[in-house]
Amino acid sequence: MVLIFLFEMITALLGGVYMAQINVNDLTFHYEGSFDNIFENVSFSIDTD
């Protein structure tokens, strides 16, 4: 509950603009049945600012 309150206060101070940052760390992906990885230990960040 405190976290939601803090988020609403920060949002109000920023003029009601919602911003988010999505972080992905150490992503590894392969297709089922494949022996090779498409991604291996990939990290990236997406910022909606």
Side-chain angles (χ1 to χ4, degrees):
M1 192 62 148
V2 173
L3 182 60
I4 293 170
F5 176 72
L6 289 175
F7 179 74
E8 288 176 355
M9 282 185 57
I10 292 170
T11 302
L13 289 172
L14 293 174
V17 176
Y18 291 94
M19 295 182 292
Q21 184 171 24
I22 301 169
N23 295 310
V24 176
N25 296 311
D26 299 324
L27 174 68
T28 299
F29 174 79
H30 70 90
Y31 289 107
E32 186 175 341
S34 175
F35 295 106
D36 297 324
N37 290 332
I38 303 299
F39 304 120
E40 189 170 339
N41 299 325
V42 173
S43 297
F44 60 91
S45 177
I46 300 172
D47 190 353
T48 62
D49 182 25

